[in-house]
Amino acid sequence: MSRHSARTTTRSRWVLGALVVGLPLSLLPATAGAQPSAAPTSAPARGWHHKPGTLPKVPVMTGSGGAVSSVDRDASQVGIDVLARGGNAADAAVATAAALGVTEPYSAGIGGGGFLVYYDARTKKVSTIDGRETAPATFTANTFRNPDGSPMDFDTVVNSGLSIGVPGTPALWAKALRDYGTLSWNEALKPAERLAAKGFVVDQTFHDQTAANADRFKKFPETARVFLRGGQAPAVGSVFANPDMAKAYRTLRTQGVDLLYRGRLGEAIAREANAPHTAAGVSVMGGQMTLRDLAAYRALTKAPIHSQYEGLDVFGMPVPSSGGIAVAEILNLMKAYERRTGTPTSQVSDVQYLHRFSEASATAFADRNRYVGDVPGVPVPELVSPAFAAERACLFDPAKAQPRPIPFGSPDGSYTSCAQGATAQKEPYEGISTTHLTAMDRWGNVASYTLTIEQTGGSGITVPGWGFLLNNELTDFNFAPLTPGVPDPNLPGPGKRPRSSMSPTILLEDGKPFLAVGSPGGATIITSVSQTILGYLDRDLSLVDAIAAPRLSSRNGTSEGAEPAILDGPTGAALTAMGHKLASAGTPNEIGAATATRSFGHNRFMAAAEPVRRGGGSAMVVHPDR
């Protein structure tokens, strides 16, 4: 695919993309429910202007005035309302994220954390905000180990107060508004409060996620009261309101973010984390969170991970996320394979493309697992350098998969030989529940924001009277060293932030916004984001088709997850013949659910979202093409 064709959009391509994913022509952009074509004003956002569930949900839209893409229609509309009334991308990102805390309460919310990558049109620079949860000050490398040194049972820790980290999401929202936004804290949270109070229409995904978690929710009376209606998952098509969460947003927006970090909301969080209320006959471990831990929390501004691919500048999230590093290494490896074989990624068959991608992903994960964590001395410049990738690519065989797990490399700055490491490590576990949004505004600001409470439903513990779930983010730490005798950067520690795979990404072309992309999905986020970028830039796919393409996720485990279109067809058979050990992607047999926004300059945008996975996403622009 030529770079020119990858970066061109037309009305016909939009319609083609809509037909590919089965979107009815009656739902073309003019009916997508974004704000009408009246000129935006400087008035603050006041919430949405539709009845919940009445707007069509479309996966791609082009137009002007700004763009928002998220997994949820009501949340995307909140962000579009903000942009339509003069707010910028930071304002829209915070307001949309707060709304996702209402409609996606099992993936994100007040009780969680996340990462924001932001391009500031005024300074023309990309920066990041680290809103990852932190461990209590009492945590040590042995906190998740039994007296005999063995790791604690994972599920037991997940469903306990010991898994709960100090929430970072509200601090990130406050910092993003303070550093980049134009709305007040009060104004930004008001739409989410209204959405929680009025309710949203339950879709199949929300119903299924509730039903899948019903048994563990019943262990915690407050969670059962809030999320199980009559002891059951709410029916598809019913309206789900959360008055306790509305109270949480109302109190936060009127009393300020310190209510959580130095006030009564924080006291309620710590009290519940340390002594969770449980049903009769149920006992779970308490946590170690203190009011001092809450007061010490800070959302941190950090320099982004910077790499280049196909002439574009690629910016991602730094440690404690591994996303920016791993995405950069995957892209570098794909380029190194091109040089070794003499054949560009754009010209190989689908089988060879996925073979290359699998080898690159497994190699990047080998290095990520060994070197990346919230510790000093992570060799970031070397891990993202093309020279390191070239050394790591020297064993690439176009006809055969390397045995898994691949040993980690030596990012030491000396890349003159094909010497490879001898130590291979197993794949650590990471939960799959997350949500992602992107936003662009008419001034050129760009937000790519991934937020989470870790597993679907987090710890399963709801703060009494406040209506939101607490995270189980501390289970993203490795409970014990992956390999005896090999330093492990992701063991728990005092105030430490667990490693993450969240990969909010922004790409610039000649210093100007080009693409913002990200995905949910735990460790599969890295592969979903990389595959979306490669599909769009190299594989002759429109943006929405790059998001929708069948996924493969090789994370250096004994097998690699594949969706049915790959696993059950001739592509999967060919990969298996090359030595790849493919396995089902698991329940519900899907990988990721990416969202993206594309800038064409001159106040022209495309928003794109997942068409099918997780029930499909919602792409909107302020003024849709007609």
Side-chain angles (χ1 to χ4, degrees), residues 1 11 145 147 175 181 217 257 320 382 405 422 424 459 546 562 616 620-621:
M1 169 180 201
R11 171 72 173 178
R145 289 189 236 182
K175 184 171 180 58
F217 284 179
V257 71
E382 300 303 326
S459 64
M620 292 186 181
V621 296

Side-chain angles (χ1 to χ4, degrees), residues 54-410:
T54 61
L55 298 178
K57 192 176 189 181
V58 298
V60 61
M61 189 180 294
T62 58
S64 61
V68 173
S69 183
S70 82
V71 72
D72 180 75
R73 174 182 48 227
D74 292 307
S76 292
Q77 183 67 51
V78 164
I80 285 295
D81 285 351
V82 167
L83 295 179
R85 285 162 176 75
N88 68 14
D91 302 322
V94 172
T96 303
L100 286 169
V102 179
T103 60
E104 289 271 290
Y106 308 143
S107 298
I110 295 169
F115 298 113
L116 172 69
V117 179
Y118 194 78
Y119 173 79
D120 188 324
R122 181 180 59 83
T123 63
K124 303 187 186 307
K125 292 182 179 179
V126 177
S127 59
T128 77
I129 300 178
D130 171 2
R132 185 66 159 163
E133 299 90 335
T134 56
T138 53
F139 265 44
T140 72
N142 296 318
T143 295
F144 292 134
R145 289 189 236 182
N146 296 309
D148 64 0
S150 62
M152 290 182 179
D153 178 72
F154 184 82
D155 287 339
T156 299
V157 178
V158 166
N159 298 287
S160 79
L162 198 61
S163 71
I164 299 169
V166 175
T169 289
L172 186 153
W173 292 346
K175 184 171 180 58
L177 292 172
R178 183 170 62 249
D179 292 354
Y180 312 125
T182 65
L183 291 186
S184 70
W185 171 257
N186 188 319
E187 293 165 338
L189 298 192
K190 190 175 291 184
E193 178 198 334
R194 292 179 176 175
L195 184 56
K198 293 184 177 181
F200 61 92
V201 176
V202 173
D203 62 10
Q204 192 67 50
T205 299
F206 185 82
H207 168 85
D208 291 349
Q209 288 180 340
T210 310
N213 282 280
D215 287 344
R216 75 183 189 114
F217 284 179
K218 289 175 182 177
K219 296 178 181 179
F220 305 102
E222 186 71 2
T223 305
R225 182 185 69 82
V226 173
F227 295 106
L228 300 178
R229 303 300 160 90
Q232 303 295 322
V236 174
S238 64
V239 175
F240 186 93
N242 189 336
D244 287 351
M245 189 181 289
K247 183 188 79 170
Y249 278 119
R250 181 172 63 254
T251 311
L252 267 175
R253 72 175 178 81
T254 57
Q255 298 185 26
V257 71
D258 275 356
L259 179 77
L260 192 149
Y261 295 101
R262 293 174 178 81
R264 62 190 179 101
L265 181 52
E267 293 172 359
I269 289 172
R271 187 164 52 245
E272 190 63 18
N274 295 337
H277 289 84
T278 58
V282 175
S283 177
V284 303
M285 292 183 291
Q288 301 175 15
M289 190 186 304
T290 68
L291 299 183
R292 182 172 294 182
D293 294 323
L294 285 155
Y297 186 86
R298 299 291 184 275
L300 305 173
T301 297
K302 295 181 175 179
I305 299 297
H306 178 213
S307 61
Q308 291 186 316
Y309 187 75
E310 297 289 3
L312 299 172
D313 290 291
V314 183
F315 295 92
M317 197 67 210
V319 295
S321 178
S322 62
I325 294 170
V327 168
E329 186 174 350
I330 289 170
L331 297 178
N332 286 341
L333 284 163
M334 293 294 286
K335 189 57 64 177
Y337 299 158
E338 286 187 350
R339 289 191 288 268
R340 283 187 60 80
T341 62
T343 307
T345 304
S346 60
Q347 296 180 15
V348 298
S349 67
D350 285 346
V351 171
Q352 185 59 215
Y353 162 63
L354 289 173
H355 169 60
R356 291 185 182 188
F357 181 71
S358 173
E359 296 295 280
S361 301
T363 302
F365 268 86
D367 299 327
R368 169 254 201 197
N369 293 343
R370 166 60 185 88
Y371 296 108
V372 180
D374 187 15
V375 294
V378 177
V380 175
E382 300 303 326
L383 290 170
V384 303
S385 71
F388 178 60
E391 180 176 87
R392 296 293 276 145
C394 72
L395 295 181
F396 172 74
D397 185 337
K400 185 172 64 175
Q402 297 177 70
R404 305 291 198 267
I406 294 172
F408 55 80
S410 298

Side-chain angles (χ1 to χ4, degrees), residues 354-585:
L354 289 173
H355 169 60
R356 291 185 182 188
F357 181 71
S358 173
E359 296 295 280
S361 301
T363 302
F365 268 86
D367 299 327
R368 169 254 201 197
N369 293 343
R370 166 60 185 88
Y371 296 108
V372 180
D374 187 15
V375 294
V378 177
V380 175
E382 300 303 326
L383 290 170
V384 303
S385 71
F388 178 60
E391 180 176 87
R392 296 293 276 145
C394 72
L395 295 181
F396 172 74
D397 185 337
K400 185 172 64 175
Q402 297 177 70
R404 305 291 198 267
I406 294 172
F408 55 80
S410 298
D412 54 12
S414 177
Y415 309 122
T416 58
S417 69
C418 194
Q420 298 293 303
T423 304
Q425 298 180 300
K426 65 181 181 180
E427 179 188 359
Y429 177 80
E430 188 172 332
I432 64 170
S433 183
T434 332
T435 193
H436 181 80
L437 67 95
T438 58
M440 294 180 171
D441 65 37
R442 54 193 166 117
W443 300 282
N445 301 296
V446 182
S448 186
Y449 181 19
T450 313
L451 57 160
T452 183
I453 60 171
E454 181 27 7
Q455 226 160 271
T456 304
S459 64
I461 298 170
T462 298
V463 185
W466 296 98
F468 62 87
L469 286 153
L470 292 171
N471 68 83
N472 66 293
E473 216 65 63
L474 301 186
T475 58
D476 267 354
F477 285 122
N478 295 337
F479 285 18
L482 281 183
T483 306
V486 176
D488 191 324
N490 193 41
L491 296 175
K496 194 173 178 181
R497 302 180 186 217
R499 182 174 61 206
S500 169
S501 294
M502 289 184 278
S503 307
T505 305
I506 291 176
L507 287 77
L508 304 183
E509 183 176 36
D510 299 325
K512 298 178 181 178
F514 174 74
L515 183 70
V517 61
S519 178
T524 69
I525 293 172
I526 290 168
T527 55
S528 294
V529 169
S530 300
Q531 205 169 342
T532 300
I533 293 170
L534 291 165
Y536 186 49
L537 296 182
D538 287 330
R539 300 299 295 168
D540 200 24
L541 297 176
S542 68
L543 184 55
V544 71
D545 290 342
I547 289 171
R551 297 240 173 89
L552 179 73
S553 185
S554 182
R555 304 184 302 280
N556 207 33
T558 55
S559 64
E560 45 201 280
E563 292 183 328
I566 295 173
L567 182 64
D568 300 333
T571 299
L575 290 169
T576 299
M578 298 172 74
H580 292 276
K581 296 181 180 179
L582 305 185
S584 169

